[in-house]
Amino acid sequence: MITHSDQSPPAAGGGPDPSAPQGTQGPERPPAVPADEVPTLLVKIFGKDRPGLTAGLFDTLAAYGVEVVDLEQVVTRGRITLCALITTPAPAGGSEGALRATVHAWAESMRLQAEIISGVGDNRPRGAGRSHVTVLGHPLTAEATAAIAARITGVNGNIDRIHRLAKYPVTAVEFDVSGVATEALRTELAVEAAQREVDVAVVSAGLQRRAQRLVVMDVDSTLIQDEVIELFAAHAGCEDKVAEVTAAAMRGELDFAESLHARVELLAGLDASVVDKVRAEVRLTPGARTLVRTLKRLGYQVGVVSGGFTQVTDALQEALGLDFAAANTLEVADGRFTGRVTGEVVDRAGKARLLRRFAAEAGVPLAQTVAIGDGANDLDMLNAAGLGVAFNAKPLVRRAADTAVSVPFLDAVLYLLGITREEVEAADAEFPVGRDGR
């Protein structure tokens, strides 16, 4: 490494040389070259991948006493691109010309192509304002990718790196972007995402993304495919009436608490033993078990808040190993539903309060929470969380949330957190899924 010292080397035996003239410490040393002016070489190797290429290149470079400034390697469909930014040869290591000739000869012997570019200093520093932009497509088209990239450039953002997070059940790629504020980038890309029918999430880069988090989900039409009250209503013979009120409430046309009481009244007199049948009818959203299982393995805490009923969420909490669960409770008297709920109603404001309470109990700052929901009654929770995700949501909710996922796979949320499909599958291989799907 090139270093600079304000001290001259000590005389033999240690300490300053007593024979040196007053005010000097022996012969002067030449000033060090500033880091951004140090001559460097970019060595690029590309061709068919095979074991040992990286070691072989650096064995070749080692003879010239160079230092590694930066290094990146990508393998795509068996083709390797290896880039090494190195210092020029040390004085005792030989000439730059000799290094170039040796590298080209080694590359030719390995049936690779090599390119060596002269320059000075390290890579250009990344601009202020750094974000991760995750793009989900089903499929992800070249047209959509071009449009997203153009939008980033159009607001003076720089794409520093792109890599794939998943190839199924959706294609997910992540852009590392610098040079533009996260909020401004999010606003710009939201417009393009709607036009191109892809999902785009923009989150600030930094250590916070890697910290343990709390993920809180809505239940009906998010964790599960059903509306629980409609399942109960089907057994009471009033499914159509309940579904109509539910749809209006989810669109934000009715106050949720009032609509809840109106729907629950229709269940009055229904035998409470129907709970077991409803639990059996509940269908988890595709990817729900994978999402929860992966988050738990990574040390995240996971909870649900629901405008539905504890008669169902309690069973979900046990089956999925959730850390937190809260919902309304249907009142039962003499073995039948009374048409009322007990306790404080879990409505739009209540969901946000519960998110904050869960975060406090989990010891997680609110900025490190993720909320997932689909309806208008989830909006306060989505806005309170560090990252609010609208999952297959109503238009009102999509517009208000930080990001939206429109594919029908709940585990796609993992990609928004920077978790790759390969990491999910590796975890499943290490910890085989049990009979309960965990």
Side-chain angles (χ1 to χ4, degrees):
M1 181 175 8
I2 297 174
T3 60
H4 175 68
S5 173
D6 292 331
Q7 299 290 329
S8 298
D17 182 355
S19 64
Q22 184 73 19
T24 70
Q25 294 292 326
E28 293 186 4
R29 301 175 64 188
V33 179
D36 59 355
E37 297 179 10
V38 173
T40 52
L41 299 173
L42 175 60
V43 180
K44 297 173 62 179
I45 301 295
F46 38 96
K48 185 177 180 180
D49 187 34
R50 65 189 72 114
L53 292 184
T54 305
L57 173 62
F58 285 97
D59 278 344
T60 302
L61 295 172
Y64 293 88
V66 300
E67 299 174 12
V68 178
V69 178
D70 197 2
L71 175 63
E72 186 159 356
Q73 176 176 307
V74 176
V75 177
T76 306
R77 290 189 65 179
R79 310 293 291 185
I80 185 172
T81 301
L82 171 57
C83 296
L85 186 62
I86 60 172
T87 58
T88 53
S95 69
E96 179 181 326
L99 180 148
R100 287 173 175 269
T102 303
V103 170
H104 280 289
W106 172 81
E108 186 175 350
S109 72
M110 302 302 292
R111 297 182 180 178
L112 299 170
Q113 291 180 280
E115 182 179 5
I116 303 175
I117 303 171
S118 298
V120 293
D122 199 345
N123 299 308
R124 183 181 61 184
R126 294 184 66 194
R130 301 178 186 178
S131 306
H132 298 293
V133 177
T134 306
V135 182
L136 308 180
H138 188 58
L140 179 60
T141 65
E143 181 182 22
T145 306
I148 294 297
R151 285 273 185 172
I152 294 171
T153 303
V155 291
N156 298 319
N158 187 71
I159 300 172
D160 302 316
R161 183 172 182 258
I162 305 173
H163 64 285
R164 187 178 70 184
L165 297 174
K167 61 182 179 180
Y168 71 92
V170 299
T171 300
V173 295
E174 184 171 274
F175 295 71
D176 290 348
V177 177
S178 61
V180 58
T182 298
E183 288 298 328
L185 185 60
R186 180 181 294 143
T187 300
E188 186 74 15
L189 294 184
V191 177
E192 198 64 51
Q195 293 177 356
R196 304 294 174 178
E197 298 184 344
V198 294
D199 296 326
V200 178
V202 183
V203 298
S204 180
L207 290 175
Q208 175 178 299
R209 196 184 194 205
R210 299 181 181 275
Q212 291 184 6
R213 290 184 175 181
L214 168 68
V215 178
V216 176
M217 291 175 278
D218 174 41
V219 175
D220 293 5
S221 298
T222 299
L223 180 65
I224 66 174
Q225 301 177 57
D226 313 281
E227 293 288 333
V228 168
I229 196 166
E230 293 178 12
L231 297 179
F232 280 112
H235 291 280
C238 57
E239 184 177 10
D240 290 343
K241 291 181 180 179
V242 166
E244 183 178 342
V245 178
T246 298
M250 292 299 99
R251 291 192 300 267
E253 298 171 3
L254 294 176
D255 174 79
F256 179 81
E258 292 179 357
S259 70
L260 175 68
H261 291 304
R263 288 175 290 173
V264 170
E265 285 178 6
L266 296 172
L267 304 182
L270 181 64
D271 194 310
S273 64
V274 76
V275 167
D276 289 336
K277 296 179 181 178
V278 168
R279 286 178 173 178
E281 292 167 352
V282 166
R283 300 166 300 163
L284 288 172
T285 298
R289 288 189 184 277
T290 301
L291 172 67
V292 175
R293 181 173 66 242
T294 303
L295 291 173
K296 295 289 290 179
R297 286 172 176 170
L298 292 172
Y300 286 52
Q301 297 188 62
V302 185
V304 293
V305 290
S306 176
F309 310 106
T310 56
Q311 281 85 353
V312 170
T313 58
D314 287 351
L316 289 171
Q317 182 177 16
E318 181 178 358
L320 296 175
L322 303 173
D323 299 284
F324 304 98
N328 300 301
T329 299
L330 292 168
E331 185 181 68
V332 177
D334 299 324
R336 294 186 178 277
F337 294 135
T338 65
R340 296 186 294 271
V341 293
T342 62
E344 186 178 1
V345 171
V346 178
D347 57 6
R348 175 169 168 168
K351 287 188 173 186
R353 286 195 300 272
L354 287 163
L355 171 70
R356 293 187 177 93
R357 192 187 84 189
F358 292 167
E361 293 178 6
V364 173
L366 201 59
Q368 290 172 210
T369 61
V370 180
I372 311 168
D374 73 300
N377 65 320
D378 297 314
L379 278 174
D380 288 4
M381 175 177 72
L382 297 181
N383 290 330
L387 176 65
V389 180
F391 180 74
N392 288 308
K394 315 305 183 283
L396 170 71
V397 182
R398 285 182 62 92
R399 290 192 296 269
D402 294 325
T403 189
V405 172
S406 58
V407 295
F409 312 107
L410 193 56
D411 54 340
V413 173
L414 292 170
Y415 312 139
L416 307 185
L417 305 178
I419 300 166
T420 69
R421 193 75 202 178
E422 290 180 347
E423 290 170 329
V424 174
E425 293 174 352
D428 283 343
E430 185 176 357
F431 306 101
V433 178
R435 290 185 179 180
D436 62 355
R438 280 194 241 164

